[in-house]
Amino acid sequence: MEKFIQLKSIAAPLPIVNIDTDMIIPKVYLKTVKRTGLGIGLFAEIRYHQDGSENADFILNKSAYRHAKILVAGDNFGCGSSREHAAWSLIDFGIRCIISTSFADIFYNNCFKNGILPVRVTSEELEQLLKGASCGMILTINLQTMKIYREVGGPIIKFDLDEFHRHCLLNGLDDIDLTMRKVSKINAFEKHHKRIYPWY
């Protein structure tokens, strides 16, 4: 998994409350178990018209935001079903950081497993960031200092993150990587188990 240390990007504003996982990635895209290729389906029902053409009014279809890596969104982002495809579609599109006041628990944890940093801010801070993002604001997210910097100035925003998730993102560790770090202990256990229970 790609390490997350510092990210600088234009921030795309999406001031919608209760964006659920079905809005993030509609169920028609859930047939695959691959983590790649789902970026095309991100926000499909509001990103495209019924004929498949792009909705020019949708923020990620605007030229300034097409390559945004930071999303500033409304309260309770990622609610709804527990589909991990939601995180897959975001990272495949290129979103590495989502800023909101709150996240659904399962989606929040799925973000870390896929290299996405979900940042919680206050309602006042979110309002400031949404206003700035609508004007093409560039943000720098520094995970080492746990601070958000604005290119045009303004107060630095501090955020909190538990040390385990911070460590995993800084070092690019997903669940498989964490398991492989204990492979010697796993092998030792298997040898010991085989000696005691040879019929298994």
Side-chain angles (χ1 to χ4, degrees), residues 156-175:
I156 294 171
I157 296 175
K158 298 180 181 180
F159 61 91
D160 293 321
L161 188 64
D162 68 272
E163 188 53 37
F164 173 73
H165 283 136
R166 180 172 175 269
H167 171 78
C168 288
L169 282 180
L170 285 172
N171 293 280
L173 302 174
D174 61 13
D175 287 349

Side-chain angles (χ1 to χ4, degrees), residues 164 167-168 172-183 186:
F164 173 73
H167 171 78
C168 288
L173 302 174
D174 61 13
D175 287 349
I176 295 174
D177 295 316
L178 291 170
T179 301
M180 292 306 295
R181 287 193 163 195
K182 298 180 180 179
V183 69
I186 294 171

Side-chain angles (χ1 to χ4, degrees), residues 37-108:
L38 286 170
I40 192 71
L42 180 67
F43 298 117
E45 293 182 352
I46 53 178
R47 187 170 153 204
Y48 306 111
H49 294 299
Q50 288 188 348
D51 64 2
S53 61
E54 287 188 350
N55 173 9
D57 293 328
F58 183 63
I59 192 66
L60 294 178
N61 289 336
K62 296 180 183 295
S63 58
Y65 298 100
R66 281 186 178 273
H67 302 291
K69 297 181 182 298
I70 300 170
L71 193 63
V72 183
D75 305 339
N76 196 29
F77 190 91
C79 57
S81 69
S82 60
R83 64 189 70 169
E84 193 171 358
H85 293 68
W88 295 352
S89 64
L90 286 158
I91 195 71
D92 193 62
F93 182 85
I95 302 295
R96 295 293 318 276
C97 178
I98 304 165
I99 302 173
S100 182
T101 56
S102 58
F103 298 88
D105 289 341
I106 294 176
F107 175 82
Y108 183 79

Side-chain angles (χ1 to χ4, degrees), residues 101-178:
T101 56
S102 58
F103 298 88
D105 289 341
I106 294 176
F107 175 82
Y108 183 79
N109 287 309
N110 281 339
C111 282
F112 296 107
K113 297 175 187 293
N114 291 280
I116 300 171
L117 171 63
V119 174
R120 295 188 181 110
V121 295
T122 66
S123 297
E124 293 77 14
E125 290 167 339
L126 183 68
E127 186 176 347
Q128 294 171 15
L129 292 173
L130 282 170
K131 184 177 180 180
S134 66
C135 298
M137 177 176 60
I138 303 292
L139 294 179
T140 297
I141 315 293
N142 190 308
L143 184 53
Q144 290 181 317
T145 61
M146 292 194 290
K147 292 178 181 178
I148 302 172
Y149 303 89
R150 288 173 257 204
E151 190 174 62
V152 295
I156 294 171
I157 296 175
K158 298 180 181 180
F159 61 91
D160 293 321
L161 188 64
D162 68 272
E163 188 53 37
F164 173 73
H165 283 136
R166 180 172 175 269
H167 171 78
C168 288
L169 282 180
L170 285 172
N171 293 280
L173 302 174
D174 61 13
D175 287 349
I176 295 174
D177 295 316
L178 291 170

